[in-house]
Each structure stands twice: as C-alpha cells, then as structure tokens.
Amino acid sequence: MSYGFMITNERLQIAADKDSETQKVKLSDDFNLTGTAKYLMSSKFNGDDLSAYGEIYDKDGNDTDLKSTWTVPVAKDSTTGDFSLNIPKETLDVGTYKIKVHLTDSNDLVSNTITYNITVTKNELIITPDKTDITVNDNKPVDLTGSYKYSDNADFQDKNVTKTYEITNANGTTHKLTQTMAHDKKIDVDLKPIAYDQSPDQTLSDYLKNPKSDNVLAEGKNVVKITVQDGTYASAETTVNINVPKLSPTITKTTSNGINVLGPTGKVHFPIDFSYGSDYTLNPNELIGVFTVDQQDPVSLKINNPTTAQNSSFDMSFDLAGNQINLPSDKNSATVTLYFTDPYGRKTNTESFNLSILSYALELDFNNYRFQTIDPKTFEAGYIKRSGDWDLNVTSYKASWVLKAEADNLDYESTQQPSNLSMAYVNKDDLATALQSNPQIAKSDKMEAQTVDISDQWNSDNGILLKTNTLPKQGDYTGTIHWNLTESL
C-alpha cells in the first residue's frame, strides 16, 4: 500500500486594509473587515474558496465566546485575493473590541492572524463650534467656544472627556493642546498669539524657538482641528478657521530736533506716532521696544503705551530713564535706534534719535496764567484763587537752586493804568508776601536730575494768589511776573 502527501514551504499571508483596521461603527449599522491575502512565495490560487475564521475579544482581552466564519472566493491563477468579512448590525453591544482573524486554503495552509480594533457606539458624538470662521482684529487671545453632545442627547459613556486642539499655522507649523477633564459639554479654550507671553529678557527669535504651549496663533490662516473623545467609546472632530491679518505696523518720530538728557540717568522723551495702517486695535502693554544705543547690545523693554485701546494712528510718546537703555556715562552724545514688536511677532520700522547728554542743567518752563473771574454778587475782600493748571516747572541737574517771583500791581487792560489788584505768595503756613518784595517761592538742594512742578505743590489757598481789598471795576486786568531762577551755593 502506498500513501500520497505534499511537502511545501509556501505560506499564506494576510494583511488588513488600513482604513478597516481601526473602526468606529454605530450599533445600528453593519460593518466589514477588509484585507488582502497572498502566498509569500507568489504561488497562484487554485480557484478554491478560502475559509475565514474570527474570534472576538473585549477591550481587556477577554474572550467573548463570539466566533464567526466566512467563505472567501478567490479567482483561479490570481496571486492576490481581496476579502471583505461582513458583521451584521447589533452583533456586538456598545463597547470596544478586538476581532482576530485568520484564513485557511483548501490545502489546509493556515495564515497569520490579524487584529481589527472596533468601537461600537449607540449614537453619534457631535461638536458644534459657536463660530467656524473667526477674523482677528486685535492682539488678545482668541476665545474658541462651542459645545459637544450625542446626537440623541444620550449620557456619556466615560466619566472623562479628552479635548484636543491641533492648530496648523499658514506656514505649516502645528501646535497641539490637550485637555482631559470631567464632561462639561463645552468647547472653551483661549488660543494666544505666537509671541503673547514673550518677556523683554528674551529676543523674539529666541522666544519663538520654544513659545508657551498656548501661544499658537500666527499671521494668516490658522486651521484648528477640534477632536472630542468620550473615553474609548466615541469621538468626533471638526475644524475652525482663525484668520489673523498680515499687517506692517509703523512708527514715526514727530520731531527732527535732537533730544536733551540730563545726565546718563536722566529722562529721555521719545516723541513717536504708531500706526497699524488698518482698523486694528492695540491694547495697553502689548508692545516690546528694542533699543540700541550706539554699538551696544540691544535692550528690550515692555512699553506701557497706549494707556487705553487704540484702533487708529495715535501719539504713543513715552519717557524712559537713561539707565534703562544704558546711556553711556563717559560721553556727551549718543544715538538711539529703536523698533517695536507686538504679540504676533510683527515688527515695526526702525527710527533713530540723536541725544545730547548734558553734564549740567537749570531751566524754568512757564506759560501765561489766569486767576478766577471776580463775581460782584459773591465778592469778598481777600485772595482770589488761580484758574487752571499753572504748570510752573524747574528742571535741574547737578545744580541746587532758588526760584523767586517779582511783580507790580496789575494794570487795567483798556487804559494800561495801574490798579489796586496785586499778587502775593502765600506759603503753607498761610504767611503772605507781596510779589513786589520778590519772595522766594521754591528751592531745591538735590543734585540728581529732576523736574519739579512748583505749582503742583500748591493747594487752592496757597501759592501765588491775587490780592484785592475792594471790588475792582469791571474789565480785564493784566500783569507780568518776573521769574528769577538762580543757582544756590
């Protein structure tokens, strides 16, 4: 008696289709497990059907005792065969499963085993953003809001939700923010400009190498993909577009004159206008100024201007102390160049200022002044108060000083004849001295740079006041105060 048998080194190999390997399906829908079969040594199929076997496990790997078999037809003489294994609706309850599949041929060759990851949901998770297209008109964080729920308002399957925000900038750079929390049915996240949290002690280029995780928005179109996951049971995604205008902010110095500075630590006044050239709002504390004095290393400072939101060109002039920008202590002049950057990393043009660094200064700034109108109905003999802010300022550096004021009686304007109206200086102790006596009204022994507002130190009942003993005749009166500012020893 003789026996026949076949020895072969051929092997049957199967692979799952990529889009079938992991699926999320609804309880009420059929679904298919698809893939491809072939022999590793490229043998041809003989035309006999293949048999497929499936075993189903839960998310923890426990056998559910659910098994399926399918017949897979393959054309004769073909080298590959596609298969699609149908699983009818409601075969699996809501949950997550692993389905392990292998095939055999008519010669009892057994394939490798492949695993399909299947999540069955009862209904559909839906994300509804409040806005799908957002256009930015300022440098504030963008509050991305919306809601999520199941289509039939069913309860969530997991106690926690994972929300993922993937932001793709116009240049292709991507950022990802992930939140895991108890379900709140809300989409609510602040997305900040790319340089929003830059501190002055970092250059813009250095900060942009590793910005804070929520500094994600850049100029141009930002595509935000929002994904919400109810544990492993269901997920949904949608997109929101955030459009940030591309702008070229400009600064313009408003004087061609040089700037005097009282020593290397004195106040430096920068007269500058700022504009975005568009209807775009700049809020307080959003600009970083980059200052370069001569050939020194740049100094970056946060600039407080504007003090209120501005949406058009505005005067953003500001003052800094000389030591804030490292003015030299061994020179009497310097050139300062500066530009600004905003939270989106936009950069202005550069302006230059020529500074004269003074070694000594003593000067007085004054204006034309008025006293309050005398009302005959309420007149009382005594002193008449000043009207408005007199703005009487002494600026000094390395100089102690004394300020005196001298004046005769006021003239009646229409005739230029002297009147009985006179001026007096009343000190804080209410002691009055007529200005005819040239009284001292202020002094200082400080050597450091300073600007003293003399009139700001007066209240309404002291300082220079108008003296009248009787009701003057109707009309206007004028006079001249001779200010005498001298250096004291």
Side-chain angles (χ1 to χ4, degrees):
M1 180 180 291
S2 63
Y3 298 90
F5 56 93
M6 180 179 67
I7 298 175
T8 178
N9 291 323
E10 188 62 274
R11 295 180 63 185
L12 183 60
Q13 183 76 22
I14 61 173
D17 291 341
K18 211 67 177 171
D19 57 356
S20 178
E21 195 169 17
T22 300
Q23 299 183 56
K24 182 183 71 174
V25 299
K26 294 177 69 173
L27 180 67
S28 58
D29 292 341
D30 290 0
F31 63 95
N32 295 307
L33 310 176
T34 62
T36 303
K38 66 177 181 179
Y39 290 109
L40 281 183
M41 298 177 69
S42 302
S43 297
K44 295 180 180 180
F45 288 101
N46 61 13
D48 293 341
D49 292 339
L50 303 178
S51 296
Y53 302 88
E55 296 179 333
I56 302 175
Y57 298 81
D58 65 18
K59 66 176 182 179
D60 297 319
N62 300 315
D63 193 342
T64 64
D65 292 327
L66 293 174
K67 300 182 180 359
S68 295
T69 59
W70 300 268
T71 298
V72 179
V74 182
K76 185 178 181 179
D77 293 330
S78 63
T79 56
T80 61
D82 296 331
F83 60 85
S84 180
L85 314 178
N86 179 260
I87 296 182
K89 63 184 179 180
E90 298 183 353
T91 298
L92 302 177
D93 292 331
V94 172
T96 300
Y97 300 90
K98 293 182 181 297
I99 303 178
K100 299 190 175 188
V101 173
H102 71 272
L103 272 62
T104 62
D105 67 6
S106 57
N107 294 317
D108 295 326
L109 283 179
V110 181
S111 75
N112 58 303
T113 298
I114 58 176
T115 301
Y116 294 88
N117 300 294
I118 307 298
T119 299
V120 180
T121 62
K122 189 174 181 179
N123 41 33
E124 185 178 8
L125 192 60
I126 298 172
I127 304 172
T128 306
D130 290 337
K131 295 180 180 179
T132 55
D133 282 282
I134 299 172
T135 297
V136 168
N137 58 13
D138 60 26
N139 298 316
K140 292 182 178 180
V142 175
D143 187 11
L144 189 60
T145 59
S147 61
Y148 68 92
K149 65 176 184 177
Y150 279 110
S151 55
D152 61 354
N153 293 313
D155 292 336
F156 297 106
Q157 300 292 316
D158 199 287
K159 66 178 182 179
N160 288 332
V161 61
T162 299
K163 307 171 190 177
T164 304
Y165 306 90
E166 185 174 278
I167 302 95
T168 303
N169 304 143
N171 64 359
T173 301
T174 60
H175 313 265
K176 185 178 287 189
L177 302 175
T178 300
Q179 303 170 334
T180 299
M181 63 184 72
H183 281 286
D184 59 0
K185 300 183 180 180
K186 295 178 181 178
I187 299 298
D188 190 3
V189 65
D190 281 344
L191 303 179
K192 297 178 182 178
I194 193 67
Y196 188 84
D197 290 306
Q198 179 196 354
S199 62
D201 59 2
Q202 279 184 292
T203 66
L204 177 63
S205 59
D206 282 346
Y207 181 77
L208 293 180
K209 293 175 184 176
N210 187 29
K212 284 192 174 180
S213 60
D214 58 354
N215 288 200
V216 296
L217 298 179
E219 283 190 298
K221 183 178 180 180
N222 299 268
V223 179
V224 184
K225 184 174 77 172
I226 306 170
T227 303
V228 173
Q229 292 176 283
D230 180 17
T232 59
Y233 298 98
S235 66
E237 66 179 48
T238 190
T239 58
V240 172
N241 296 321
I242 300 177
N243 302 295
V244 179
K246 295 183 178 181
L247 303 175
S248 298
T250 58
I251 56 172
T252 306
K253 64 180 180 181
T254 55
T255 180
S256 58
N257 298 327
I259 297 172
N260 290 332
V261 184
L262 303 182
T265 62
K267 180 184 73 176
V268 185
H269 179 69
F270 291 96
I272 292 175
D273 285 346
F274 180 95
S275 176
Y276 270 119
S278 176
D279 185 14
Y280 189 90
T281 300
L282 180 70
N283 291 289
N285 302 308
E286 290 186 340
L287 294 178
I288 291 178
V290 181
F291 302 80
T292 303
V293 177
D294 297 331
Q295 304 303 316
Q296 299 182 47
D297 292 336
V299 174
S300 296
L301 297 170
K302 199 84 169 179
I303 302 300
N304 294 331
N305 282 10
T307 56
T308 59
Q310 303 288 332
N311 58 11
S312 59
S313 177
F314 71 99
D315 179 0
M316 69 163 291
S317 300
F318 58 92
D319 298 331
L320 294 175
N323 55 321
Q324 287 183 277
I325 56 175
N326 295 336
L327 287 186
S329 58
D330 58 348
K331 295 181 179 180
N332 59 13
S333 65
T335 299
V336 180
T337 61
L338 71 107
Y339 64 86
F340 296 90
T341 62
D342 75 1
Y344 279 102
R346 304 183 185 101
K347 179 180 174 181
T348 70
N349 58 301
T350 299
E351 285 282 14
S352 296
F353 295 85
N354 295 318
L355 274 54
S356 295
I357 304 172
L358 306 180
S359 60
Y360 167 89
L362 182 61
E363 60 183 39
L364 177 70
D365 292 324
F366 58 91
N367 294 303
N368 294 323
Y369 306 120
R370 295 185 63 86
F371 293 100
Q372 293 182 1
T373 300
I374 299 172
D375 185 351
K377 296 179 182 179
T378 58
F379 171 77
E380 294 181 1
Y383 292 103
I384 307 300
K385 298 177 180 180
R386 296 176 301 278
S387 175
D389 189 348
W390 277 35
D391 280 336
L392 180 62
N393 300 315
V394 175
T395 298
S396 64
Y397 176 56
K398 292 187 177 179
S400 57
W401 50 266
V402 171
L403 176 63
K404 296 182 178 181
E406 184 176 17
D408 293 328
N409 284 14
L410 273 64
D411 295 332
Y412 189 64
E413 190 174 52
S414 62
T415 64
Q416 293 298 303
Q417 295 299 311
S419 71
N420 291 326
L421 295 175
S422 63
M423 288 179 280
Y425 173 70
V426 180
N427 67 19
K428 293 181 179 180
D429 297 323
D430 293 328
L431 297 177
T433 305
L435 290 198
Q436 286 98 329
S437 301
N438 192 28
Q440 174 182 303
I441 66 170
K443 69 175 183 177
S444 175
D445 296 325
K446 293 182 178 180
M447 293 289 104
E448 61 266 26
Q450 63 173 345
T451 296
V452 180
D453 186 340
I454 307 299
S455 54
D456 193 49
Q457 300 176 2
W458 302 336
N459 62 37
S460 60
D461 295 319
N462 60 34
I464 294 178
L465 302 175
L466 182 65
K467 180 73 166 65
T468 177
N469 295 319
T470 60
L471 178 65
K473 67 178 180 179
Q474 183 177 357
D476 292 332
Y477 296 80
T478 61
T480 301
I481 299 176
H482 299 280
W483 305 105
N484 184 12
L485 178 63
T486 59
E487 186 175 1
S488 60
L489 300 178

